[in-house]
Amino acid sequence: MSFLVSSRAATAGALPPEIGFLARQGFDPAALAEAAALARACGSDAATTLIQADRIGEEAYYRALAAALGVPFLAAGDLRLGEGTRFPGSLEAGLAPLARPGPAAFVCAPRGAAIAALLREGNAAAITTPRALSAAVFAANPSGIAAYAADTLQVRRPDWALGPGSQGPRLAIVALVLGAGGVAGALIPAPLLIGAWTLVQLAFLAMVTFRIAAVSVEAEPKLDSPLADAALPVYTVLVALHREARVVPRLAAALARFDYPAAKLDIKFVIEADDRETADALEAAALPARFEIVRVPAGLPRTKPRALNAALPLARGACLVVYDAEDVPDPGQLRAAATRFARASRTTACLQGRLVIDNMADGRLTRCFAIEYAALFDVLVPALASWRLPVPLGGTSTHFRTASLREVHGWDAWNVTEDADLGIRLARAGYHVGDLASDTLEEAPRTLRPWLHQRTRWMKGFLQTTLTHARTPRTTARQLGPLGTLCAVALVPGTVISALAYPFLMGRAAWDFTHFVLSGLPAPGGFWASLPTGSAITLFVSGLLAMLLPAALGCVRRGWFDCLAFVPLMPLYFLLVSLAAWAGLIELVRAPNRWNKTEHGLARTSRSGAVRVG
């Protein structure tokens, strides 16, 4: 017996302290040695490696740690936190006060190096698991956490925040200005009116210039020699889910395929506390230890950015990525992003992955959606990143340096297109977005009604972003610079305004173009009299080029040569975009904070085979 004890002591002494004590408690020494070797290879601590490799349950490990320290262990059902509990401070410290009377004054949930320090120095606090502590902190102050998630940006940087108030007063001012312009247009002389109309046409011409110029920029190649396991940072993956039980099995399987050390993965499914359907599906999925479920307390607004804000303080990774429920990211995407961040300047706060519509064969609508995404993520975004201009982000497959994301206070919970707003806010803070040549497959709505609901939300969010950053136009313009300001105006309000005006402006331009082709005669009166018609023709041609060239190039870069025949349909597709813009404008007045949820898991086809056909 003495030999067995001394052998276990010797084995424990050869192991990292955070798992060495387990050998003295009868755990398999060979399994502990294997975990220690794996931890050295991937540059992580042995305790995290052991737990996240599913070699020991989290609760079993922390019970053993409490026994080694000679202090009480408190399971999730036994935790009663005291009034001094703070969010997010208690979770950041891994320490919270216990309600009195209790077995100790405090309870702690150490990780990594903190475990070795406790074993070396001793500890008077009770022990619990990190997940139990997180759940207890959320339960201790749900209303406070809901307010934190909804209003932190508004409290800390009100000049950057949309805020919960109605946008009616601001829109009323805009409407008055436009109305006054219309009245003035009826009274001013015709030459001045023609000149004003020509300036409007030239402004739209400036907007389409970015899209045309983007075709001249080479796309970023995929990285060679990605970082080795030991050099990789801890990576947090956030996925906000709401009524998404249908896609949980496919989503969990996709995220489980990451080519990334399990010990360095921090994957969190963020759900609403009352979403029982999704919670049941996640429980049934038997998730590995590297997955965690975060339940967000009830509150307003009921939006994706509010849920992400609640989870952001829990992120353990130096890098963080956001995915949507229907996403199937490339297994090597996290390693590629970590490598890109390691080799980029510190001002690169974000990387935008390539979003690819997978169910394009579901119909003409999904095929046009796929072509639109190819133009955006394979042509326009790489060009904007190359030029270091503001990028309205895609909302998913967006990778961040976590510290930079926290510096700009996360997402605006009241903006229904939080990704576009965050892209502009990062640019105003002096950061820029890089292009990440890694694909994430997405499911597009395959019928008009859900497509219109989704696009209405996007257009409304672009208007909200415009109202937010136009509040202090001089400051915004100074922070973005002249070209950055022009780009932001073209891509955010310009996207909505051009969509609103598209049928009218392009219709008149097409009429002038047709008349010019048929008559072939310049207008009498010389240059100035011909300028409106000339600018209309230029706008018509450049507008078509702005729609067709990036779309065609995106298809070519993707190897979708079969889709090139559908590119000429894009002008008709943008009539639907115009309809969504008008719906978004109306909804901004009637229901500014409504989140039009897109249903997922309804695809009938899959180009890649990654999407389960329903």
Side-chain angles (χ1 to χ4, degrees):
M1 179 61 120
S2 61
F3 172 78
L4 182 59
V5 172
S6 62
S7 176
R8 286 177 177 168
T11 301
L15 293 169
E18 64 269 23
I19 63 170
F21 70 90
L22 294 172
R24 290 187 288 268
Q25 296 187 19
F27 285 84
D28 181 7
L32 296 177
E34 185 180 348
L38 185 59
R40 287 192 297 271
C42 72
S44 181
D45 67 278
T48 301
T49 301
L50 190 69
I51 294 171
Q52 300 215 164
D54 291 301
R55 306 293 177 84
I56 186 175
E58 185 184 56
E59 182 168 325
Y61 175 85
Y62 281 92
R63 279 187 183 277
L65 176 62
L69 291 167
V71 298
F73 173 80
L74 298 178
D78 301 325
L79 273 179
R80 300 291 181 271
L81 300 184
E83 293 182 358
T85 302
R86 296 289 181 266
F87 180 87
S90 296
L91 293 176
E92 291 169 348
L95 183 72
L98 285 169
R100 297 181 181 275
F106 292 89
V107 62
C108 70
R111 294 181 186 269
I115 297 173
L118 286 181
L119 289 164
R120 184 174 60 252
E121 300 166 7
N123 173 56
I127 294 290
T128 191
T129 68
R131 296 186 187 194
L133 180 62
S134 175
V137 169
F138 270 66
N141 186 16
S143 59
I145 292 173
Y148 174 95
D151 300 326
T152 292
L153 180 62
Q154 175 70 24
V155 170
R156 297 185 179 179
R157 287 300 303 264
D159 56 319
W160 282 358
L162 177 68
S166 170
Q167 305 309 310
R170 296 181 200 171
L171 289 174
I173 294 173
V174 173
L176 285 174
V177 171
L178 293 176
V183 172
L187 299 177
I188 62 176
L192 290 179
L193 187 61
I194 291 172
W197 176 246
T198 302
L199 287 176
V200 170
Q201 291 174 322
L202 293 176
F204 276 94
L205 184 61
M207 291 179 187
V208 302
T209 299
F210 284 100
R211 296 181 65 89
I212 297 174
V215 303
S216 66
V217 178
E218 291 289 333
E220 283 276 356
K222 291 191 176 182
L223 284 171
D224 294 327
S225 61
L227 293 178
D229 287 0
L232 293 171
V234 174
Y235 222 113
T236 294
V237 177
L238 296 184
V239 187
L241 304 173
H242 184 53
R243 302 198 315 270
E244 297 286 8
R246 185 187 291 111
V247 300
V248 162
R250 177 173 58 81
L251 174 64
L255 301 185
R257 288 195 293 266
F258 279 131
D259 172 26
Y260 212 83
K264 291 184 170 181
L265 279 175
D266 173 35
I267 303 175
K268 300 184 190 299
F269 292 124
V270 189
I271 66 174
E272 297 288 337
D274 60 356
D275 187 0
R276 192 68 252 168
E277 178 187 2
T278 305
D280 289 343
L282 289 170
E283 294 291 346
L287 301 171
R290 58 189 179 276
F291 290 78
E292 180 182 358
I293 301 171
V294 178
R295 292 172 171 82
V296 180
L300 294 177
R302 205 173 179 90
T303 60
K304 170 186 170 183
R306 185 185 80 97
L308 294 175
N309 282 338
L312 181 58
L314 281 63
R316 296 189 291 110
C319 299
L320 178 151
V321 63
V322 175
Y323 291 117
D324 282 344
E326 78 277 19
D327 287 353
V328 180
D330 183 276
Q333 188 170 118
L334 300 190
R335 191 181 293 267
T339 303
R340 179 74 72 185
F341 275 131
R343 297 173 185 172
S345 69
R346 297 300 301 178
T347 59
T348 302
C350 177
L351 299 173
Q352 176 62 63
R354 309 276 179 85
L355 304 184
V356 183
I357 298 303
D358 192 54
N359 61 319
M360 66 170 69
D362 277 5
R364 291 186 180 89
L365 184 64
T366 55
R367 198 173 293 272
C368 287
F369 202 142
I371 294 171
E372 181 188 20
Y373 261 28
L376 177 59
F377 292 102
D378 289 281
V379 179
L380 184 59
V381 168
L384 295 176
S386 175
W387 297 331
R388 295 200 167 196
L389 293 177
V391 177
L393 300 175
T396 178
S397 202
T398 44
H399 298 252
F400 301 93
R401 297 187 197 271
T402 307
S404 300
L405 182 58
R406 286 172 172 158
E407 182 185 327
V408 297
H409 312 298
W411 296 267
D412 190 336
W414 298 92
N415 190 315
V416 298
T417 312
E418 78 293 338
D419 40 8
D421 169 75
L422 183 53
I424 302 302
R425 195 154 21 103
L426 286 170
R428 290 186 63 182
Y431 292 111
H432 68 271
V433 175
D435 172 46
L436 181 64
S438 178
D439 295 347
T440 297
L441 302 178
E442 286 232 310
E443 176 189 349
R446 57 186 179 83
T447 57
L448 182 58
R449 185 179 181 86
W451 181 94
L452 188 59
H453 281 176
Q454 182 187 69
R455 196 57 61 100
T456 295
R457 173 168 59 83
W458 293 0
M459 290 294 180
K460 179 173 69 174
F462 271 42
L463 288 170
Q464 290 176 328
T465 300
T466 301
L467 292 173
T468 298
H469 297 286
R471 189 183 299 135
T472 53
R474 289 185 180 180
T475 301
T476 301
R478 175 173 49 80
Q479 291 169 339
L480 295 179
L483 192 57
T485 300
L486 179 61
C487 177
V489 169
L491 296 179
V492 183
T495 294
V496 183
I497 294 170
S498 60
L500 291 171
Y502 173 72
F504 313 105
L505 202 61
M506 290 298 284
R508 177 57 192 267
W511 171 266
D512 288 343
F513 178 77
T514 303
H515 183 266
F516 174 79
V517 170
L518 293 177
S519 68
L521 297 175
F527 173 80
W528 293 108
S530 301
L531 182 60
T533 300
S535 60
I537 294 170
T538 304
L539 177 62
F540 177 70
V541 174
S542 59
L544 286 178
L545 291 176
M547 281 185 279
L548 302 180
L549 284 181
L553 181 58
C555 291
V556 170
R557 286 180 175 175
R558 285 258 147 223
W560 294 348
F561 298 105
D562 56 324
C563 291
L564 289 174
F566 290 83
V567 170
L569 294 178
M570 297 308 290
L572 296 177
Y573 176 76
F574 279 102
L575 287 174
L576 297 178
V577 176
S578 179
L579 178 62
W582 283 102
L585 181 61
I586 294 169
E587 191 172 286
L588 182 64
V589 177
R590 299 182 61 185
N593 303 125
R594 179 192 297 161
W595 184 278
N596 295 330
K597 176 176 163 41
T598 305
E599 297 296 328
H600 301 123
L602 303 175
R604 290 179 176 174
T605 65
S606 170
R607 191 180 185 96
S608 67
V611 178
R612 179 176 60 83
V613 178

